[in-house]
């Protein structure tokens, strides 16, 4: 690979678009994730248009959070921070811990006790973060973090931190660079609402710069049991199988609502059953293993097609954001799959099973 072609992360690539201190980036070479056509999934959804999947699970710590963490931690380093803190349903914690490790900073992460996927918890611990398990949900943990940064010299790296959005908008840039245009619809899972806000910021920046001629409509998708932006009021006890988006009081809620309104898009809620069905389809039809929260984008697109929100026409281009890798959280969703087929350790037993499998339609 030539020097010019070597990927060195989102700050290096998109610096002119990013409002951030001009120091050497703290980076794990995040970004540059695939935008994959998904024709089989589109067919199964009955979608006549073009469907693409932005596979953010291929970022260094397995989620889109790395885009915002390279910018947040780089800025924190420029500001002389020694320690960072965040509340998290898991992915932000793992990402903050990794980038803090790289920057030589201490990371303190507050997570809801017992409600964080093992792949996220183990990563945050391995990267050396102090992991604090709060008896409460994400919203309670974020309240505590906001209090902590008032009293102690800690850099807040939740998406309330504007530098998080600076980085996360680069996913929108990459989508436009890959398509040569903005898509017609962007389908995205919403929890604390930072990511959808960042995407809209990115699309608008590219539009202003003349890189794209049109703006997409945003389809923000929440889980039914944690859908404050759909119902227009906070949810005290958010509940969903998609623990990543189990959030009742999104910190960036007002901006997300405005972004969706400006774009002419919609917020939708989908059930856990719809999320798990989409999760299976993404893996079995396109070979992409994602965490349950990520599948909300496809469950939402399916619902939006059924309700006529997204027009079902061949010229429509839709991008669904797959926010996190399936290895983060295999347990919950696996319970919905049949168990492995038990086979006795001899050739006859295997032969009978193979014949059954190969005869099956
Ligand atoms: N998908 C995944 C896999 C996530 O981890 C999150 C958020 C979202 C979607 C929603 O993004 O919050 O910007 O609207 N996870 C946060 C965390 C809350 O702590 O890791 P959002």
């Amino acid at each position: 690979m030539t020097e010019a072609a070597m990927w060195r992360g989102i700050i290096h690539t998109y610096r002119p678009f990013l409002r951030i201190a001009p120091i050497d980036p703290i980076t794990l070479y995040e970004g540059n994730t695939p935008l994959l056509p998904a024709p089989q999934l589109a067919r199964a959804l009955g979608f006549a248009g073009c469907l693409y999947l932005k596979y953010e699970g291929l970022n260094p710590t397995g989620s889109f959070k790395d885009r915002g963490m390279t910018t947040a931690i780089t800025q924190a380093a420029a500001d002389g921070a020694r320690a960072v803190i965040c509340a998290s349903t898991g992915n932000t914690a793992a990402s903050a811990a990794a980038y803090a490790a790289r920057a030589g900073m201490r990371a303190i992460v507050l997570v809801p006790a017992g409600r964080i996927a093992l792949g996220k918890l183990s990563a945050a611990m391995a990267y050396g973060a102090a992991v604090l398990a709060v008896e409460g949900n994400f919203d309670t943990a974020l309240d505590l973090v906001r209090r902590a940064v008032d009293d102690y010299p800690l850099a807040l790296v939740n998406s309330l931190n504007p530098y998080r959005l600076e980085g996360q908008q680069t996913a929108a840039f990459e989508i436009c660079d890959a398509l040569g245009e903005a898509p017609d619809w962007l389908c995205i899972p919403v929890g604390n609402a930072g990511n959808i806000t960042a995407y809209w910021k990115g699309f608008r920046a590219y539009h202003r710069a003349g890189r794209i001629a049109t703006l997409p409509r945003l389809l923000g998708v929440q889980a039914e049991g944690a859908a404050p932006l759909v119902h227009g009021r906070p949810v005290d006890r958010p509940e969903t199988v998609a623990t990543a988006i189990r959030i009742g009081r999104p910190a960036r809620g007002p901006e997300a609502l405005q972004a969706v309104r400006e774009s002419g898009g919609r917020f939708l809620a989908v059930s856990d059953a719809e999320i798990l069905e989409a999760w299976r389809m993404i893996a079995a039809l396109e070979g992409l293993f994602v965490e349950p929260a990520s599948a909300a984008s496809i469950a939402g697109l399916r619902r939006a097609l059924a309700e006529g929100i997204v027009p079902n026409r061949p010229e429509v281009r839709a991008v669904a954001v797959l926010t996190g890798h399936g290895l983060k959280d295999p347990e919950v969703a696996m319970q919905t799959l049949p168990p492995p087929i038990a086979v006795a350790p001899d050739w006859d037993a295997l032969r009978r099973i193979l014949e059954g499998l190969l005869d099956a339609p």
Side-chain angles (χ1 to χ4, degrees):
M1 199 185 242
T2 63
E3 171 70 13
M6 191 176 142
W7 181 264
R8 281 188 276 163
I10 58 133
I11 296 179
H12 179 79
T13 307
Y14 291 110
R15 172 93 73 178
F17 284 95
L18 307 182
R19 195 177 42 84
I20 183 187
I23 65 166
D24 269 356
I26 309 292
T27 178
L28 289 162
Y29 292 4
E30 59 295 308
N32 197 24
T33 57
L35 183 70
L36 290 155
Q40 307 196 100
L41 182 57
R43 205 169 308 125
L45 298 175
F47 180 39
C50 281
L51 174 60
Y52 299 86
L53 304 174
K54 182 67 171 160
Y55 194 24
E56 289 287 275
L58 290 194
N59 275 295
T61 77
S63 85
F64 70 93
K65 305 287 181 179
D66 296 341
R67 294 180 185 277
M69 214 49 82
T70 184
T71 43
I73 301 280
T74 297
Q75 185 65 38
D79 296 340
R82 308 271 301 279
V84 301
I85 190 167
C86 65
S88 178
T89 55
N91 281 324
T92 300
S95 186
Y99 284 81
R102 211 151 162 88
M105 292 177 196
R106 187 116 178 83
I108 301 167
V109 303
L110 277 69
V111 300
R115 298 303 298 261
I116 160 173
L118 189 60
K120 305 175 186 181
L121 180 63
S122 56
M125 291 167 66
Y127 294 130
V131 179
L132 313 184
V134 179
E135 283 301 333
N137 57 33
F138 170 88
D139 304 296
T140 316
L142 186 56
D143 287 344
L144 289 169
V145 163
R146 292 170 103 145
R147 179 66 213 276
V149 297
D150 282 345
D151 286 10
Y152 293 95
L154 293 162
L156 172 80
V157 293
N158 279 106
S159 58
L160 285 164
N161 177 332
Y163 298 101
R164 281 279 308 278
L165 303 197
E166 288 295 316
Q168 282 173 215
Q169 66 176 327
T170 60
F173 300 162
E174 288 179 16
I175 289 170
C176 297
D177 289 345
L179 293 178
E181 246 317 325
D184 299 298
W185 282 85
L186 183 92
C187 315
I188 181 170
V190 176
N192 208 28
N195 209 28
I196 191 169
T197 303
Y199 267 85
W200 187 238
K201 177 176 160 64
F203 285 123
R204 276 187 326 177
Y206 249 35
H207 191 243
R208 266 196 314 276
R211 301 273 184 116
I212 52 174
T214 59
L215 288 164
R217 292 174 194 267
L218 303 179
L219 185 73
V221 189
Q222 300 206 285
E224 255 171 26
L229 300 176
V230 180
H231 303 310
R233 61 188 133 72
V235 175
D236 285 340
R237 273 184 291 280
E239 207 42 81
T240 167
V241 68
T243 55
I245 52 173
R246 193 169 155 264
I247 293 173
R249 282 185 280 124
R252 293 273 184 186
E255 285 126 300
L257 285 167
Q258 194 187 334
V260 166
R261 201 177 313 120
E262 272 176 32
S263 80
R266 273 286 288 273
F267 270 106
L268 273 184
V270 292
S271 69
D272 280 2
E274 289 174 287
I275 289 174
L276 291 172
E277 171 68 5
W279 173 83
R280 270 192 300 271
M281 291 170 79
I282 296 164
L285 296 174
E286 299 294 351
L288 299 180
F289 190 36
V290 301
E291 64 171 283
S294 302
S297 60
I298 289 298
L301 173 61
R302 187 180 212 175
R303 184 69 88 79
L305 286 164
E307 293 182 11
I309 295 165
V310 171
N312 199 353
R313 290 201 302 266
E315 70 275 15
V316 174
R317 290 207 285 191
V319 170
V321 183
L322 304 179
T323 46
H325 202 287
L327 291 174
K328 293 267 190 176
D329 188 10
E331 284 158 319
V332 178
M334 213 178 100
Q335 289 163 9
T336 67
L337 297 175
I341 302 166
V343 52
D346 66 62
W347 170 236
D348 267 350
L350 176 59
R351 201 168 44 78
R352 277 195 301 278
I353 288 169
L354 289 179
E355 280 170 12
L357 289 173
L358 296 173
D359 282 349

